Structures are given as C-alpha cells and as structure tokens.
Amino acid sequence: MMTLLILAVIVLGILAVTRLSRVYELTSALRGKREEDITERDSRMNARLMWAFPFAYFAFFLWLTVAYADQMLPVSASEHGVWLDDLLNFNWAILIVAFFVTNVLLFYFAGKYYYRKDRRAYFYPHNSKWELGWTIVPAIVMIGIIIYGLSVWNRITSVPLAGTPQVELYAQQFNWTARYPGKDGKLGATDFRLISGTNALGVVTPNSIKTRLAELEEIVVVEKKKLETEGGFLPPSKLTALEDHIKHVERMRGRIVNLRTLMDQDIAARGAESPYNHGSDDIVIKEFHLPVRENVDLVIRSQDVIHSVFLPHLRAQMNAVPGMATRIHMKPTITTDSMRTITANPVFDYILMCNKICGASHYNMQMPLTVEPDGAYKVWLSQQKGFETAEIPAAEVVPATDTAAVISNTTANIPAVTNEPKKN
Amino acid sequence: MGSVAHAHPPAHGHAHAEHHHHEESFVSKYIFSQDHKMISKQYLVTAIIMAWVAVVMSIMFRLQLAWPGEGFAFTNFFLGDKWAPGGVLSPDMYLALVTIHGTIMVFFVLTGGLSGTFANLLIPFQVWCTRYGERFLEHVVVLVLLREQCAHDRLAIC
Amino acid sequence: MLSYWFFFVSSVLMIASLFVEGGPASGGWTIYPPLSALPQAMPGSGTGMTLWLLSMAVFVASALLGGLNYIVTVLNLRTLGMKMTRLPLSVWALFVTAVLGVLSFPVLLSAALLLLMDRLVGTSFYLSEIHIGGEALDNMGGSPILFQHLFWFLGHPEVYIVLLPALGITSEVIATNARKPIFGYRAMIGSILAIGFLSFIVWGHHMFITGMNPFLGSVFVFTTLLIAIPSAVKVFNYITTLWRGNLVLSPAMLFSIGLVATFIAGGLTGIILADSALDIPVHDTYFVVAHFHIVMGMSAIFGMFAGIYHWFPRMYGRMMNTKLGYAHFWITFICAFGVFFPMHYIGLAGAPRRYYSYSEFPMFQGVVDLNILITLFAIVGGLAQIIFTYNFFHSIWRGQKAVQNPWRSNTLEWTAPLKHMHGNWPGAIPVVHRWPYDYSKPGMPEDFVPQNVPLAEGEEEEHG
C-alpha cells in the first residue's frame, strides 16, 4: 500500500514537473526571458529564503536537542567516562558558538546582498590582518582543544596499575564469551588451534592439549576410512577436498605437538609461574559481571573476524582483532541497580554490543553486563565452575537473559536462526 | 605523439584550424573520443547513472531502518525474492547495499564523477586552452619532451 | 580517453558484482579483512568481493592515468601569461586533487592486490590465528591492522580528493556570482596546499580504537586537528566574499552557499571525532555517519551540482531550467539536513552504524523514531533528484540555446566559441594578462574583466 502510494506520488510528481516546466518554458519564451537572466525578483525570493532557512535550521537543532535530551546516553557509569563527558561538553560549548556565528554570518550575507542592477559589489580582494586573524584564532582554539583532549586521552590509555585483575572478552560470529581467572588470579595461555566444542576459547592446559590431539586423531581416522571406502565414488573435486582436509588436520596436529613441547619446556622452566598452568581453573562463561569501583583490565580477543567491544554506558570501546589481544582498563562506578534508579527503568541493563561490521547478525551480537557490589561479584564468581572442572561444556552454557537467539556453537558459525528477518 | 605534438602553435593557428574541422565518425566523436569536452560529458553521464543506482540502494536500506521487518514492493522489485522475500530486506543484502552504496558514492560519483568531469572540462579550457587528447603515450611524451614541446608551442613558463 | 574507459570498465565490473551468486561485497565500503578475505565469513565475501577488488584495481588505473594528465597539463602546458598565481582556484583545487590521487591511489592498489592474494592464492598478509566455520585456518603471522593502515593511507586523502574539487568549483562560482573577487586568493591557495599536505599524515584517526599505540594516536590527533585551521580560513574567506557582494542567486550560486553551510556543519563535528578520547564513545556510531555524509557527501554533491549548473552551457551549449534548479536546490538542501542532522542524535544515544535493525535493543527505542523522519526526508530528497535528472537530460536537447558568456565570467573557457570543435579556439589561443577575479574592479566599465583582456592604461594588476 505504502509502495503504491509512493509510486503514485513519483509518477504524478514527474508528470507535474514536466508539464509545469513546459508551461514555464513557453511563457518565458513569450516574454523573451532568458535562463541566464537571474532577475532581481528571483534573487530577492531566494535571498528571503536564505534568511528564512537558518530559523528553520536552528529550530530543528533546538527541537532535536530538547526533545531527545532524555534519550541520550545517561550519566557515565565509569570513571574515565566522566572525564570524557566533561571534555565533550567543553568541545560542544566552543563548537556551538562557532556554529551559530558562522551560520548567521553566512545566511545573513547571502540574504542581504542579493543582486540589484544599480548596485556594484565592493572590490575587496584581501586583507592580510583579517586573514591572519582567522588563522591565529582557530589555531589558538585548536591548541586548547588538543591539549585538553590529549591530557584526557593519556589518562585513559595509561598503563594499568600493577595487580589490576584481568577479565577476557572473547568475540566470535555472533556472540561474546567472557573468561575470568580462577583462584590463582591469572588467565591461562590460549591457542586458536585448540578451539573445539569443549574448549570454546582454546585455553591451553596439558589436559586440553591431550583432548584436542585425540579429537584430531579421531577425525583423521574417520576421514581416512571414508577415503578408502568411498574414495572411488567421489567426484574429483570432493576427493581433493577430502585429501586436503586430512592433510590440514595432520598439519594442525603437528603444530599442536610442537605447542606441547613448548609448554612442557615452559612448565619445566617456570613451574607454577608458567601461563600454561593457569588455565585449568579459568572460568569460561557467557555472562559478563564486573565489580563496582574496582579497576579492571579487559583483554579483548577475537576468533574469526574483527569485532569491537562497545560499552556505550561506560564510554568504552576497543576492537577485537584476530591474531592479537587488545586491552582497555577502566573502573565502573555505578551498579546496574543504581542505574535502574537513575534511569527510572526497572529493566535497565548495561549492554555490550559489537560495533565493527562482522556479518549478517552483527546487529544482534550483544551480551548484558552486570555491574554489582564487590561482595556480590565475589559470590557470583565463586559459584562458577573452573574450565576443566565444569560439568557442562562452556560453549553450551545458556546465559540467564534471553539472548538465546544469538547463541551459535563454535562448529557451526552460520546462525540459521538469526538469518530470518524478525517480524515485528 | 598525438595531439600534443600536433597542437597548433598560436602563431600558426589559422593554418591548422581547417585540419580540425573534418567530419568525425560516431565512434570517434562519442565513444573513443579524444576531445576533453566529450570525455568530461562521458564521465558526468556515467556518474549520474551510478549515482541513481546508489540512491535507489539507499532508499531500500532506509526503508528497512525506518520500518524494520516490513515488506516493501519497492525493495522486492529491485532485489527479487532471493534477497528480499516478501519485500523484507535480508540482513546479508542490507550489508551489501550499504557497502555498495558507499563504494559507488565515494569512488564512482564523487571521485570519478566529480574530478573526472571537471578536471577534463576545466583544466584544458582554463589553462591550456587548446586541444587536449589523452593517450597513454602522450603522458610519456609530455613528461620526457616537455621542454622542447613548450618552446615549440611558445606556451608559458615550463 | 583511456582514463574514462578504464573508469567505465570499472563501473561495469562493480555493477556486475551485484548479480553474482552470494551477492556483492558486503563488508562495508572499507572492506576490512578478515571479514572480506574469508568467503566463510559472509556470503558477500565470495565472487562479489573478488569483482569488487578487480573493479577497484581498474579504477585506480583510471585515476592514475587521469591524474598524471592533469598534473602535467597544469604544470607544463599553461598558455602564455598564465602564471601559477593567475590560475583559477578551480584549477588549483583540481591540480592538488590530482597530486593527492597519484600519490595515494597506488597504495589502495597494493592493499587490494594483497587482499586478492590472501583470498585466491592462500597468502597470509592480513590473516592470523583464525578459527572459522569449525576449522582453524593455516594462516599465521599476518595482521588485519596492516590493511587498515594501507586502506586509510588512501582513504583519508580520498576524502580530500572528493572535497577539494567541490571547494574549487565553489570558489569559482561564488566569485563569479558575487560579482566580487574571491577574498584572500593566496590564502585560498595556501589552504588548499595545506589541506593536501596534511591529508597524508592523518589516516590514523580512523584507527584510534584498533589497539594502536596511544602515543601514535596522540600524533594523529595533533595533525588532524591542524586541518581545522586551513578549513576555517576557507570558510571565513567564502563568507567575506559574500559580504557586500552583488549576489546573483543562480542555482549554481545557491548550491555553492549550501556547500559552505554543510562544510561548516560537518567540519565542526569533525573536531569531536578527531579528538581520540572523544572518538571512543562515538566511533562507528551514527554520529560518524552523520559527520561524513554532511561534510564529504553533501558538500561534494553540492559542489558537483554547482559545477553542473554553472558549466552546463559550456558543456552542451544550452541552458538548464532555472526554476527547476531552484526547486531542486531548496528541496535537496532542506532534505540534506533533514536526513543527516538527526543522525547525530542517534549516534550520541550510542547506536552503532551498519546495524540491520535496532529492535533488539530496548535502549534505542526512544531514538529509532528519528529513523522514520530520516527516511521520509530521504525519500523526498531522492525524488528531488528526478527534477534534476529531468532538467539535465531535457536541457541537453531542448534547453534554451546558450549565449557566449551567460554568467559574465572572467575565465578563459567562456572566450571559446560554444560550437563543438577540436582545439577549442579556431584561431590563436588566448593570452592571459590578469588573474581571474577582476569582478567589479573600480574604474572598469563592466563588472567583469576576462583574463585575456590586457591591462588598461595605468591599471594596476591585482594579485589577491
């Protein structure tokens, strides 16, 4: 219906425009008016519109600012966010002044000096003093903005204090996983080759290497058997694919064996300090909790493509890049409960969302964050099971809130569920 | 060598003027034209067509953003049932549309279309003021032989 | 000619990519790998992506051929008397644009070729430690961030490749229609050069949150914010050019004034985004979308429209319809702000870009009704372009015949006969005696003096 209406409007519009312009052409030909003669009347009409426009423009600006003020992000829930909000307000104060001054001048002049036959423009090619003035004034303002901006930036990106607890956020198409250090307070080493249904993050421990090697061994055995029994019947392309896959898995197995050697040497050299010894008690979970008023160092990694950790209420953002770990540290200052009071919204939740295009379900790659008092946080953490003591595989833990639609397991990354457009 | 070498020096302008007035075939005038004005028009018309493609794309994803999950015959008309079943844009196609909209606008309309049209139109007109072909060899020739060339043509400071 | 035909082939490839199985490239126009490198990651990273990359490679060839030609012409083939300080600003802008293009497009080509190799040959320039589709990939040692450096090394100059010609066209149109010399001609040239130079050392501001070293980020903040200075000079010079002018408000002039307005609105929000600290909460949100559509999209489009309305008689020997031009301008101008201004607010509410729908997030329910407003403006604005297209094509064949110099302009193109001919001038090519902005010069009978008119007895040459 809507479309029909639009189509009708388009067709009628085109017809009207062509007819009107034809009439206009005929009448102006009769009057001997030429297109390049911009008459005083035309100029005056446009000049009046030039004067009217800024009123509409500024009114629109004010209306948006006032009407949507309560829809903007609420007060910052992190320590550095407050610095950012102050910096932002400082910038806005300068920019809004510049915005009004330049626009008023522009539209005022555009409307005032429209063409009249008896006037002659003022020949004024340059004035070095003025030009120097509007080079130096913006330069000084910019220096102020740069100094203030960089001082905040340096504070935010400073090296975290020694002993700041680490929490890992792990991104994959199209969900998030968190990893908390266990009782030893340290995150264990990881390797992407160990990722499997039972080890969603590829945590490296002697045990997980053993399990993964066995799994790969089994795959090779099964596929070799398939090659023997069905090899003759497969079309050439599938045959090559199967052979390539077997080679690929064997290559992986070889590399994991190398990794095991490396691990054994490291454990022998460093004993309990070795990162390979920290993994088994790590908590791998699809829930995200942080303690309030405590510094936390987020370690951010990705399994497949670039994602981005975006916590708008905490004014925090950092890309998750496969092949490297990025880090941000911060201090949440308002608990989820307090924020529910502040926003007068009893179901308010902090949201972690993905902010770097990552595929079809990018728009729904989210995980709620609970900020809670330190005591409650510790209790929650103590109830979670360690990675190698968990009874159910971490990848299948269903989070408490209803984000089940985004959960896809690691071996089937194409989410059949979310490909269906949501009907509202 | 092409047009640069044959560009008439101002002093001999009239002697050569006749030479340029021969009738051109359709192909050499409109398709493989060496004339900067025609090249500029070619750029402009191509850019307008590309811009329409990008505008139609933007309307399709704007419809989805304004009324998510609703079907539009407009969308279905352009994308068919594969990408817009029932006129509802699929998430994959949504991303494809924003991608191609951006690419076309940035590169094909505002780089190729804008620079291509006006550099071809204005630079020869406002600067060189003579015939301006564009052949690959010509670039090389101009770069290598520019001093002699300019002395020959008595063009300004080289 | 070769440049155009490469451009044409590249356009055809891009359009062809729309029809392949799996759809066209869908990783965003910045095509960051690994998303764009791995066909397993999304359907658009299949054949569509390969065609996209090929199309870009051909496009780069076209841009380089064209760019070399423009540079050589401007540097070496100026007519007698056409000193660099007598060049119209349009030519200055197009010249610097060509230099930027020649220096930066090859980097895009190499980025695209490396990505093509990652896709087709199995190299690991951009890929490392990836587990996708249930398999760990063999690729080790590459960096997805490398692609971003290469891409934005082109990508940021590209912004000015888009913007500078529009600013150049505007300078020319504003001076002609204000019947007044452009204010601060040399300062304008200086700003173009400064913007051109700075545009090469700011690319990192697209990557503040990629985990880049914070100190490197600070350097990019500094260089980026410096660009605000030449930009401010340009804006104030435009405004002063309007001051006490005699403004012929032709459609071209209206679009030029519109460009200054969008350049202001978009430029100011750029100051927020350039500040690395403030970039953290607004990076990749609708705030960015609003910013670059206004400052780059709208400004450049308005510059292009100004150029088309202004030089249409020069191109086709006919005039475009002025009344339709007015309708086109006012609808487009209002819709431009109607579409992109509210996007700032959606962005400040935290809404990310490239989201298919916001219905999964309760926190955006309050601002998504702005999306309806935006779409309505977009539809009206899109329809307004029908007016333009009709006007354009109708005028090519049926427009009123143009006179020699309809806008009473000083530049040389209006001294050439309108008749289509090779060589442009039937006789000797014109010799230049003055700068192009002698409008309303005191003591002159007319309010314009074309560049090929010799200085009168006792007349001082103006240098701007």
Side-chain angles (χ1 to χ4, degrees), chain B residues 37 43 46 62 89 111 142, chain C residues 3-4 72 158 356 371 424:
Chain B
K37 302 183 285 294
Y43 265 111
T46 314
R62 277 313 322 174
L89 195 58
T111 305
V142 167
Chain C
S3 161
Y4 171 71
V72 168
E158 170 67 26
Y356 169 69
N371 269 329
N424 292 343

Side-chain angles (χ1 to χ4, degrees), chain B residues 84-129:
Chain B
V88 183
L89 195 58
S90 77
D92 280 318
M93 196 24 91
Y94 172 83
L95 294 179
L97 289 181
V98 294
T99 303
I100 303 297
H101 166 83
T103 310
I104 288 183
M105 281 298 192
V106 170
F107 290 107
F108 292 88
V109 179
L110 296 177
T111 305
L114 185 57
S115 280
T117 304
F118 290 103
N120 276 301
L121 180 72
L122 296 180
I123 292 182
F125 257 141
Q126 297 188 332
V127 172
W128 186 5
C129 316

Side-chain angles (χ1 to χ4, degrees), chain A residues 101-102 105-110 113 119 121-134, chain C residues 174-175 178-185 187-188 232-247 253 260 264:
Chain A
V101 169
T102 46
L105 288 175
L106 174 70
F107 287 109
Y108 177 69
F109 292 160
Y113 299 107
R119 280 186 67 232
Y122 175 45
F123 186 82
Y124 197 63
H126 72 111
N127 178 330
S128 303
K129 266 186 208 155
W130 291 10
E131 286 161 57
L132 204 63
W134 53 64
Chain C
I174 285 192
R179 316 307 300 159
K180 193 166 173 286
I182 192 86
F183 183 82
Y185 172 71
M188 289 302 238
V233 170
K234 284 192 91 77
V235 166
F236 283 114
N237 283 356
Y238 284 135
I239 292 177
T240 318
T241 307
L242 296 181
W243 175 67
R244 293 181 67 184
N246 202 12
L247 313 182
M253 181 64 165
V260 181
I264 292 172

Side-chain angles (χ1 to χ4, degrees), chain B residues 1-5 34 133-145, chain C residues 2 65 69 72:
Chain B
M1 296 288 284
S3 53
V4 177
Q34 300 277 330
E134 187 202 308
R135 294 177 198 156
F136 181 69
L137 259 186
E138 207 169 283
H139 299 312
V140 182
V141 169
V142 167
L143 284 166
V144 176
L145 301 177
Chain C
L2 212 51
L65 283 175
N69 198 348
V72 168

Side-chain angles (χ1 to χ4, degrees), chain B residues 46-61:
Chain B
T46 314
I48 290 178
I49 295 168
M50 291 301 270
W52 268 109
V53 175
V55 166
V56 168
M57 287 179 168
S58 70
I59 299 293
M60 288 191 276
F61 63 70

Side-chain angles (χ1 to χ4, degrees), chain A residues 20 83 90 93 123 128 203 221 287 306 321 325 334 363 369 374:
Chain A
L20 278 177
W83 309 334
F90 169 80
F123 186 82
S128 303
V203 179
V221 169
E287 271 185 71
I306 301 182
V321 185
I334 302 174
Y363 69 96
L369 158 68
D374 198 35

Side-chain angles (χ1 to χ4, degrees), chain C residues 137-359:
Chain C
L137 302 187
D138 283 317
N139 309 72
M140 285 295 287
S143 166
I145 303 298
L146 170 65
F147 178 85
Q148 299 187 15
H149 280 293
L150 292 176
F151 182 88
W152 287 115
F153 191 86
L154 158 90
H156 204 82
E158 170 67 26
V159 171
Y160 293 97
I161 290 172
V162 164
L163 198 54
L164 282 179
L167 293 174
I169 289 168
T170 303
S171 308
E172 199 54 40
V173 171
I174 285 192
T176 303
N177 287 298
R179 316 307 300 159
K180 193 166 173 286
I182 192 86
F183 183 82
Y185 172 71
R186 292 190 181 217
M188 289 302 238
I189 297 175
S191 331
I192 293 176
L193 290 172
I195 291 176
F197 170 72
L198 287 172
S199 73
F200 276 100
I201 48 173
V202 299
W203 79 90
H205 67 225
H206 299 268
M207 300 166 58
F208 285 139
I209 57 150
T210 53
M212 189 165 77
N213 183 316
F215 177 71
L216 191 55
S218 321
V219 176
F220 283 120
V221 172
F222 182 71
T223 53
T224 306
L225 284 171
L226 283 187
I227 291 195
I229 298 166
S231 308
V233 170
K234 284 192 91 77
V235 166
F236 283 114
N237 283 356
Y238 284 135
I239 292 177
T240 318
T241 307
L242 296 181
W243 175 67
R244 293 181 67 184
N246 202 12
L247 313 182
V248 180
L249 293 172
S250 66
M253 181 64 165
L254 293 178
F255 273 108
S256 299
I257 295 170
L259 179 149
V260 181
T262 51
F263 191 59
I264 292 172
L268 290 174
T269 51
I271 292 175
I272 303 257
L273 290 164
D275 215 329
S276 52
L278 292 180
D279 187 54
I280 298 172
V282 290
H283 186 96
D284 263 348
T285 64
Y286 260 85
F287 193 81
V288 179
V289 178
H291 160 73
F292 73 75
H293 273 101
I294 290 183
V295 78
M296 178 171 115
M298 284 305 114
S299 295
I301 291 267
F302 283 5
M304 192 161 172
F305 281 137
I308 294 171
Y309 280 105
H310 193 76
W311 279 290
F312 191 87
R314 181 58 268 181
M315 293 173 95
Y316 293 98
R318 290 174 184 270
M319 306 297 295
M320 285 177 80
N321 185 314
T322 312
K323 287 284 192 293
L324 289 183
Y326 288 149
H328 175 221
F329 169 74
W330 283 107
I331 302 176
T332 310
F333 190 52
I334 291 168
C335 290
F337 284 102
V339 170
F340 299 114
F341 215 76
M343 284 189 189
H344 291 111
Y345 294 83
I346 302 184
L348 288 172
R353 67 194 283 206
R354 291 172 180 153
Y355 266 27
Y356 169 69
S357 132
Y358 295 87
S359 21

